[in-house]
C-alpha cells in the first residue's frame, strides 16, 4: 500500500513491469510518443476548462506537425465524450495521422510505452512519475500551482513556446531513466502526505494565520 488510494496502490514497482518498460524503450525505430491527458470539466472544476484542454492539444499537435517520427495519443478522461473531441478536431483542423484519440486503453499501459505525458494539474502527473515517465504540465493560464514541479521529471510550461521548448528538450534527452524517476525519495515523500489527513493539516495551517 502506497497511498491508501487504490488507483495508485496497484502501481507499486514490480519486476515484470520494469522489464516491460526496458523492452519498450529499447525497441528500434520507436517514434517519440507523447500522451496527452485532458481534464474532465464540471461546474466544480478548478484546474480544467474546455479552453485549456483544446489549447493544450493544439499546441502539442503544432509541435508534432513539423517533426518526424512523433506519435501523439490523446487519452480522454473517462467522463469525456469522444464525439466532443471529434467535432472539435474537425473544427480546429486536427486531421493528423500522428494523432490517436482514445478513452479505452489503461492509462498505466500508455504511460509505460510513452516518452512524456503532457497534461494539466492532475493526479495523472503522480501516476506518470510512479511508472517512470516524465511530465510536462501545461499551465497556459498561469495558475502556478506549485510545488508539484519539485518532483523529479516534472516541469511546468506557462506558454506555448515554453511547452515546445520542453518537448524539444525531452525528445533530445532520449528514453527516460524510468527506474530512477519511479523510485526517488522526493516522490515517496510527496505521495506519503496523501494519507487522508490533508483537511486537518489545512485547518491547522489556517489557525496559525
Amino acid at each position: 500500500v502506497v497511498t491508501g488510494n487504490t488507483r495508485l496502490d496497484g502501481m507499486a514497482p514490480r519486476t515484470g513491469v520494469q522489464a516491460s518498460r526496458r523492452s519498450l524503450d529499447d525497441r528500434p525505430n520507436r517514434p517519440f510518443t507523447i500522451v496527452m491527458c485532458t481534464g474532465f470539466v464540471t461546474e466544480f472544476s478548478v484546474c480544467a476548462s474546455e479552453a485549456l484542454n483544446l489549447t493544450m492539444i493544439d499546441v502539442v499537435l503544432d509541435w508534432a506537425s513539423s517533426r518526424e517520427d512523433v506519435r501523439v495519443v490523446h487519452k480522454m478522461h473517462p467522463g469525456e465524450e469522444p464525439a466532443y473531441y471529434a467535432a472539435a478536431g474537425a473544427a480546429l483542423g486536427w486531421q493528423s495521422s500522428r494523432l490517436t484519440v482514445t478513452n479505452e486503453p489503461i492509462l498505466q499501459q500508455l504511460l509505460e510505452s510513452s516518452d512524456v505525458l503532457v497534461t494539466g494539474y492532475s493526479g495523472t502527473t503522480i501516476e506518470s512519475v510512479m511508472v517512470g515517465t516524465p511530465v510536462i504540465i501545461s499551465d497556459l493560464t498561469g495558475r502556478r500551482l506549485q510545488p508539484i514541479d519539485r518532483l523529479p521529471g516534472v516541469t511546468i510550461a506557462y506558454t506555448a513556446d515554453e511547452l515546445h521548448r520542453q518537448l524539444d528538450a525531452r525528445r533530445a534527452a532520449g528514453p527516460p531513466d524510468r527506474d530512477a524517476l519511479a523510485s526517488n525519495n522526493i516522490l515517496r515523500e510527496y505521495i506519503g502526505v496523501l494519507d487522508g489527513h490533508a483537511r486537518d493539516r489545512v485547518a491547522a495551517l489556517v489557525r496559525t494565520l
Side-chain angles (χ1 to χ4, degrees):
V1 174
V2 178
T3 66
N5 182 331
T6 54
R7 293 177 62 231
L8 300 182
D9 290 339
M11 299 177 68
R14 298 183 300 277
T15 302
V17 173
Q18 292 174 338
S20 68
R21 291 176 191 158
R22 285 191 289 272
S23 64
L24 286 166
D25 287 337
D26 292 342
R27 285 183 302 172
N29 303 317
R30 185 176 68 85
F32 180 80
T33 303
I34 304 166
V35 170
M36 296 182 296
C37 287
T38 44
F40 185 44
V41 181
T42 73
E43 58 183 315
F44 305 110
S45 296
V46 174
C47 299
S49 70
E50 291 181 357
L52 182 58
N53 285 338
L54 296 178
T55 301
M56 178 179 71
I57 296 171
D58 207 49
V59 170
V60 171
L61 290 179
D62 182 52
W63 180 86
S65 66
S66 60
R67 289 158 178 84
E68 298 296 329
D69 298 322
V70 174
R71 177 180 178 232
V72 180
V73 180
H74 171 203
K75 175 66 168 69
M76 290 184 290
H77 187 282
E80 294 185 298
E81 294 294 335
Y84 170 79
Y85 284 104
L92 296 172
W94 293 347
Q95 308 307 317
S96 171
S97 59
R98 302 173 186 267
L99 174 64
T100 301
V101 182
T102 182
N103 62 353
E104 292 298 330
I106 297 172
L107 178 59
Q108 181 180 346
Q109 295 172 346
L110 285 177
L111 293 173
E112 288 174 346
S113 60
S114 301
D115 295 280
V116 64
L117 167 70
V118 178
T119 188
Y121 291 105
S122 166
T124 58
T125 298
I126 299 173
E127 295 182 51
S128 188
V129 177
M130 288 182 72
V131 299
T133 300
V135 183
I136 301 173
I137 295 174
S138 175
D139 184 0
L140 305 180
T141 56
R143 295 185 183 276
R144 298 184 179 274
L145 299 180
Q146 284 97 348
I148 194 149
D149 59 333
R150 75 185 179 93
L151 292 175
V154 178
T155 56
I156 303 178
Y158 295 105
T159 67
D161 286 343
E162 190 174 0
L163 180 50
H164 284 188
R165 287 193 297 271
Q166 291 191 23
L167 285 169
D168 282 332
R170 172 43 47 204
R171 188 183 188 194
D177 186 342
R178 297 185 185 275
D179 292 339
L181 286 180
S183 61
N184 69 84
N185 290 330
I186 297 176
L187 174 62
R188 284 196 291 270
E189 176 190 349
Y190 192 94
I191 64 175
V193 301
L194 302 179
D195 57 4
H197 298 289
R199 183 175 61 181
D200 297 335
R201 286 192 292 273
V202 171
L205 175 62
V206 169
R207 285 196 295 270
T208 67
L209 299 178

